Amino acid sequence: MLARRNWLLRLSIILNVVILLYFGSHFATKNGAVVLIEELQASGRNLASIDMPNPAQTDGPQSNDINPPAAVQPAAGAVAAGAAAAAAGAAADPALPPVTPAKATSTTNGEAPPTEKTLQDVIPCHDRTVEPRTAQRGDYWVLYNYVVATESFRCWESITYTTHADYTFLDNLSPMLERWRGPVSLAMYAPGTDFAPTLDAIRYARDCGSPLVAKLVTFHVFFGARHVPRTVPRPERALSPPANCSRPAPWANVTASALYKTSKGLLYPVNVGRNIAREAAATHYVLASDIELYPSPGVITDFLEMVRRQDKPLARPNPKVFPLPIFELEAGAVLPGNKRELVTMLKNGTAIPFHKKVCPGCHNVPKSKEWMLAPESSGLHVFHIGKRLGYFVHWEPIFIGTNRDPLYDERLSWEGKSDKMTQGYALCVLNYDFQILDNAFLVHKPGIKTLKKDPQRALLAGKTNVLIRRVIFPELKVLYGTRKGCAV
């Protein structure tokens, strides 16, 4: 048995040797591995498809290595040959993606070319939620976002026109929106029994006026704590029932004498409304204006493009606002569509600078004559950087700014006048730049104002001046300091 096993073992060894000799002679006669490669290429495969065992991986140089070994670079010819082989293999196999050479993206200094900045890059802001809420503000109750616009905006993608009114002024919404075409934050003063017609007017403006009202206007409502309406519907029920558009607008043929405000001898809290509307805006930039002032078309897109470009004046370190010159039009005049048309109207007398016949110094704009003579250009640019000093010390500009700017003093009323003077003083002391825009402007609802004697209002204006001089101005000097040439 043992002899038989030894014989079988010897036989298997002999057979293995014979087989090895056979295969060795076969490959030698066929030029070895060259034929193997030729056969693989002829079969449509390439070298990359051959599974090869991975070499043993290491975690880099060992602790006793002084320096890691230098990487071995392949010869240039080998690189070219490898690229050619890869390209040939890709062409032979349609399932493989074509080889695309990488494009060079270097600049003169070897860095990637700079990308153009977007508005989101240059406007530092955070988006805000617009939800109804009720809050107290001094002696007033405020229904913030009582009726919300259907369209929303990111904080950097538009400018909000912020304004105030009672319901008798809502006839201005549609013509203003046709020119503005952006978000509007509107604070409505509705004390006592004025609340119900105010809500009717909001419904009518949304349902029967321009579609832009429902799309773009967010309404806030406020009233004094001593003049709370008997009923205040929840925000979700404020728009029910829909308005009857076959009837006249609630503001039509209504005089101030018919208002609850007038019957109770209430003053119009203009600055409360201004601050409510401004602080509730969802965008970074705001145009705090009066509802009867209509902007020139295209202000939003042109202004934001100027901001995106970051023109040189915008890089100045001083805080800045962007005033829009204001003009009045004669009754029945067609609103100018651009600066060129406005200048024509100024020349023929159908337009005049704002309050020219009432308070010229209040709205006298620096370089106003040069502004009118300058030809209209494409887009918006800073025409001149003014200060609220010297001849312009009592200037009350309407401007594009932000909620970082000083607010309006809420102790001042429309009837008492000088309602923007205290804010103007703060802007002056803080060394604001008034960067006047070259092609943007505001026009008042047609009808040129003239100075009319109003003994009651003159009395209130006198009391307001005393309040400013004795109370508010000393406070402003403590809070903001003083600067040579600045005055209320």
Side-chain angles (χ1 to χ4, degrees), residues 34-46 92:
V34 175
V35 174
L36 176 61
I37 294 174
E38 290 176 351
E39 291 176 353
L40 288 170
Q41 290 178 338
S43 67
R45 298 168 64 193
N46 59 47

Side-chain angles (χ1 to χ4, degrees), residues 80-163:
D93 190 348
L96 293 173
V99 177
T100 304
K103 295 181 179 179
T105 57
S106 62
T107 58
T108 54
N109 59 1
E111 297 178 355
T115 56
E116 195 174 62
K117 288 188 176 181
T118 65
L119 279 173
Q120 198 169 3
D121 295 328
V122 299
I123 298 180
C125 63
H126 299 282
D127 291 331
R128 300 178 60 183
T129 57
V130 181
E131 297 177 351
R133 62 186 177 91
T134 301
Q136 277 189 302
R137 188 184 189 100
D139 293 332
Y140 295 89
W141 281 103
V142 185
L143 310 178
Y144 288 97
N145 306 313
Y146 189 56
V147 176
V148 179
T150 59
E151 185 168 338
S152 60
F153 293 85
R154 303 290 300 275
C155 63
W156 47 265
E157 69 177 346
S158 193
I159 308 170
T160 301
Y161 183 105
T162 67
T163 190

Side-chain angles (χ1 to χ4, degrees), residues 214-419:
K215 183 179 180 181
L216 298 172
V217 183
T218 293
F219 295 88
H220 323 280
V221 182
F222 69 105
F223 39 80
R226 297 182 180 180
H227 303 278
V228 177
R230 288 190 176 183
T231 59
V232 176
R234 299 291 298 168
E236 59 270 17
R237 302 185 62 182
L239 297 178
S240 298
N244 183 352
C245 297
S246 63
R247 302 183 62 181
W251 55 80
N253 303 317
V254 177
T255 61
S257 60
L259 298 177
Y260 174 92
K261 172 182 76 71
T262 306
S263 67
K264 297 297 182 180
L266 303 177
L267 300 180
Y268 180 68
V270 58
N271 284 347
V272 177
R274 283 181 176 138
N275 290 342
I276 289 170
R278 205 185 87 173
E279 291 187 321
T283 59
H284 178 72
Y285 283 107
V286 295
L287 172 57
S289 183
D290 294 333
I291 197 169
E292 291 184 304
L293 298 178
Y294 309 156
S296 51
V299 169
I300 295 176
T301 53
D302 289 344
F303 178 84
L304 292 179
E305 172 57 22
M306 181 188 72
V307 171
R308 189 200 62 77
R309 291 193 311 262
Q310 286 293 288
D311 292 353
K312 283 187 177 181
L314 277 67
R316 287 169 59 94
N318 293 359
K320 56 190 69 66
V321 291
F322 303 88
L324 279 66
I326 313 172
F327 302 90
E328 294 181 54
L329 309 177
E330 70 176 14
V334 177
L335 303 180
N338 51 46
K339 180 181 177 180
R340 185 179 65 258
E341 294 178 8
L342 171 66
V343 171
T344 300
M345 297 177 73
L346 289 167
K347 290 179 179 178
N348 63 30
T350 55
I352 62 172
F354 190 56
H355 279 185
K356 182 179 180 180
K357 299 183 178 181
V358 178
C359 182
C362 299
H363 295 278
N364 190 26
V365 181
K367 298 287 184 181
S368 57
K369 292 182 180 179
E370 292 83 350
W371 186 92
M372 295 176 195
L373 293 173
E376 184 178 31
S377 59
S378 176
L380 277 183
H381 311 82
V382 175
F383 173 76
H384 174 70
I385 299 176
K387 295 289 184 179
R388 194 177 182 268
L389 297 168
Y391 187 64
F392 309 100
V393 71
H394 296 301
W395 183 23
E396 291 185 310
I398 300 289
F399 53 79
I400 296 173
T402 73
N403 267 316
R404 297 173 183 172
D405 305 325
L407 290 168
Y408 302 91
D409 194 296
E410 298 185 6
R411 290 167 288 187
L412 304 179
S413 66
W414 177 82
E415 291 83 358
K417 302 181 180 180
S418 302
D419 45 79

Side-chain angles (χ1 to χ4, degrees), residues 61-98:
Q62 301 300 313
S63 59
N64 60 347
D65 288 341
I66 298 175
N67 291 310
V72 179
Q73 298 294 334
V79 174
D93 190 348
L96 293 173

